[in-house]
Amino acid sequence: MTVTTARFSLAAGACALAGLLSIPGASVNAQQDPAPQFLTTATQLAAYTQAATRDLNYLPGEVIVKFRVGVSVNQQARALSSVRSRPSTDRLQWIADRTARLMVPEDPDSIAVAANLMRQPEVEYAQPNWLRQPSSVPNDTQYAARQWNMSLLDMPRAWDINTTGGAGVTVAVIDTGLTSVNATYPLKTWNGTAIVTAQVPVGINPDVDAARIVGNRDFVFWTGPVIDFNGHGTHVSGTVAQSTNNNLGYAGIAFGAKIMPLKVCLSFWDIQILQAESGVTGYPPINVGGCPTSAVIAAVRYAADNGAKVINLSLGGTDASPADQDAMNYALARGVFVAMSAGNEFEDGNPVTYPASYGKLVAGAMAVGAVGRTQVRSYYSTTGDFVEIAAPGGDAREGGSNGVVYQAGVLFSDYNPAVVILPRFDRYSDVGFQGTSMASPHVAGIAALIMSQGVTSPAAVEALITATAKDLGTAGRDNLYGAGLIQPRTALRGFGVLR
């Protein structure tokens, strides 16, 4: 098997893809509902293309601005008049209290626009709209063969303690999505010579109980059901809560928990379809896409307001974002634990990763680094004083194709943008990824197990995970592993729930 590097990288960075064991696909039914409305305009699509072409880490012409308390509409207008194009307040799309997404395509230098707004007395902060990039021993057929990560964490004995697998807890996975419907949609795309309408089948992962997919919402593609056109969110969701002990595929850490898939990231096929629906011909850059901060913070707030008790953020970037910090604090104040990938840029200058670096400032949000099969830091895993804990993320240098993290995922050959013209998203297979994106959902899953035992405080969940971690590297907390490798069974026993 050949392990390749994915072109679209959230915080997963060097994601390895592999399609091996075929899992039966979901049935496809004709779509009967009214046609959903697309959420991204032609102007915004052009911004994504420009970002990919110019290698920008933000959407040109978009700024997130938060006004100070008590600022009136007239005062907002005065602040906006300082921008060269003099936008009206109609250009503000509100995403939180006093916080809005400002659309100024006439002023594509978002960094300069944000810097100018920061000088206005009515503004608390302004920033570019940064693009973030995405067991009882079970009888699941691939558990013994592939899921070294579950054995490394001694999950079978942890599941002996928490036999319900986190039932009663909802985990929000803020990512590329998790397909929540079996249907066929007529969607426009480019076939190399013309825009055509293709019948695109999509299907629910057969190794995820559809009844446990709740509250799904798309913040970037359309108003219809969530569809994962990339595969990243599906893999992450599988680690958190893929069905377990069902004689199929793979196991998930909190197999009894509910998954709330919130789509905030666009990738190649999202952009290709949206572009064609807007009448734009041709193919977008193959690396187009990302997760705009505006969508991420809206999703975090939505999760906190709609019953999620755990949030997983397997995405990030290298630019500070006070809007991210505001959203995190909003979730924590509502009793939601947050797990975040620490980043995959160790060999690319090892920069600080956001929003993960905000975790060290608060109790109840954790930045997660990655280890491979031998419990050694994965070569890509970013280090720093913000790394709080480590979990299996995989390391292909250590074990080749056997060293990555496997879950059931959308069959890559069905939608590989390098070769496929008319994609489908209803067939599933083995998919191996590596990255801190893969490490973070292990922590989200453990948090769900702990919360299902009655721990309601995010701070208490973090304290328990930290106190029971296996120390790795330098004695005590260090910048490679934080407190060490998560120990699910010890954490659950430490809560005094062994029975």
Side-chain angles (χ1 to χ4, degrees):
M1 180 195 70
T2 300
V3 177
T4 58
T5 300
R7 297 294 297 271
F8 177 73
S9 118
L10 305 185
C15 292
L17 294 176
L20 294 177
L21 177 66
S22 184
I23 294 176
S27 61
V28 179
N29 306 310
Q31 176 62 23
Q32 302 294 327
D33 297 332
Q37 301 299 306
F38 295 102
L39 298 174
T40 305
T41 66
T43 299
Q44 293 166 338
L45 285 171
Y48 278 96
T49 298
Q50 186 178 1
T53 303
R54 295 175 53 197
D55 196 26
L56 301 176
N57 55 356
Y58 60 86
L59 286 174
E62 297 194 18
V63 172
I64 295 175
V65 56
K66 182 176 184 179
F67 294 99
R68 296 189 184 279
V69 175
V71 170
S72 67
V73 174
N74 287 339
Q75 290 172 313
Q76 292 169 8
R78 195 223 67 80
L80 296 183
S81 70
S82 66
V83 177
R84 184 179 59 182
S85 60
R86 296 182 176 275
S88 70
T89 54
D90 292 340
R91 298 285 191 89
L92 294 171
Q93 299 178 356
W94 295 96
I95 52 179
D97 295 339
R98 299 185 288 117
T99 305
R101 176 191 193 186
L102 174 63
M103 311 296 291
V104 281
E106 307 91 336
D107 290 299
D109 189 344
S110 300
I111 292 177
V113 172
N116 182 67
L117 286 170
M118 279 292 291
R119 293 192 287 269
Q120 309 312 310
E122 300 87 356
V123 173
E124 183 171 323
Y125 64 72
Q127 64 177 75
N129 197 4
W130 300 117
L131 277 176
R132 303 310 191 190
Q133 297 305 339
S135 278
S136 59
V137 176
N139 57 20
D140 303 78
T141 57
Q142 293 300 304
Y143 178 85
R146 292 289 175 83
Q147 289 195 286
W148 58 266
N149 49 317
M150 299 296 181
S151 298
L152 182 66
L153 298 180
D154 196 15
M155 283 310 304
R157 292 203 300 160
W159 289 321
D160 283 342
I161 296 173
N162 189 313
T163 57
T164 64
V169 176
T170 297
V171 181
V173 177
I174 299 177
D175 212 291
T176 65
L178 172 68
T179 299
S180 59
V181 63
N182 298 319
T184 296
Y185 290 98
L187 298 172
K188 292 181 179 178
T189 187
W190 177 254
N191 71 357
T193 58
I195 293 176
V196 297
T197 298
Q199 298 300 317
V200 179
V202 303
I204 299 171
N205 183 348
D207 204 12
V208 173
D209 179 7
R212 293 193 293 112
I213 302 176
V214 300
N216 66 95
R217 181 169 172 180
D218 188 327
F219 291 84
V220 285
F221 182 72
W222 66 0
T223 58
V226 170
I227 299 171
D228 185 3
F229 290 126
N230 174 265
H232 187 275
T234 298
H235 193 283
V236 168
S237 298
T239 297
V240 175
Q242 198 152 300
S243 295
T244 300
N245 216 37
N246 63 345
N247 283 302
L248 180 65
Y250 293 92
I253 296 239
F255 56 84
K258 294 180 179 179
I259 289 288
M260 179 187 289
L262 303 179
K263 180 168 179 169
V264 301
C265 305
L266 296 175
S267 53
F268 176 86
W269 284 109
D270 298 282
I271 300 293
Q272 173 67 86
I273 293 166
L274 289 167
Q275 184 173 282
E277 292 283 350
S278 298
V280 178
T281 60
Y283 295 110
I286 200 168
N287 65 331
V288 73
C291 320
T293 300
S294 55
V296 174
I297 63 178
V300 169
R301 293 173 66 93
Y302 175 89
D305 290 340
N306 286 277
K309 286 304 175 186
V310 179
I311 289 174
N312 186 80
L313 288 169
S314 285
L315 50 84
T318 58
D319 301 282
S321 172
D324 283 331
Q325 189 172 8
D326 277 355
M328 182 185 301
N329 289 336
Y330 184 89
L332 291 171
R334 284 153 182 78
V336 183
F337 176 88
V338 182
M340 301 168 288
S341 52
N344 303 332
E345 287 75 42
F346 180 77
E347 295 186 339
D348 297 310
N350 200 39
V352 174
T353 301
Y354 298 91
S357 65
Y358 294 126
K360 70 177 182 180
L361 304 177
V362 293
M366 301 187 79
V368 186
V371 299
R373 299 182 67 143
T374 62
Q375 304 182 52
V376 173
R377 181 189 64 84
S378 301
Y379 72 90
Y380 52 79
S381 188
T382 299
T383 66
D385 64 359
F386 66 94
V387 177
E388 298 177 89
I389 200 72
D395 191 333
R397 290 185 186 175
E398 192 178 81
S401 62
N402 293 320
V404 298
V405 175
Y406 283 89
Q407 294 293 157
V410 184
L411 184 62
F412 185 57
S413 60
D414 279 350
Y415 69 95
N416 180 355
V419 297
V420 172
I421 295 177
L422 301 177
R424 61 187 300 173
F425 303 91
D426 63 329
R427 298 194 295 185
Y428 288 77
S429 69
D430 286 10
V431 176
F433 280 4
Q434 65 177 17
T436 55
S437 274
M438 284 56 258
S440 182
H442 287 83
V443 175
I446 298 310
L449 294 180
I450 293 171
M451 283 190 152
S452 74
Q453 300 291 81
V455 179
T456 58
S457 163
V461 173
E462 176 174 344
L464 191 53
I465 292 173
T466 300
T468 58
K470 178 182 179 181
D471 192 16
L472 299 176
T474 305
R477 194 222 159 268
D478 59 63
N479 289 349
L480 278 68
Y481 305 98
L485 179 65
I486 56 172
Q487 298 293 290
R489 183 171 188 266
T490 307
L492 292 172
R493 283 178 60 92
F495 183 52
V497 295
L498 181 63
R499 57 179 179 273

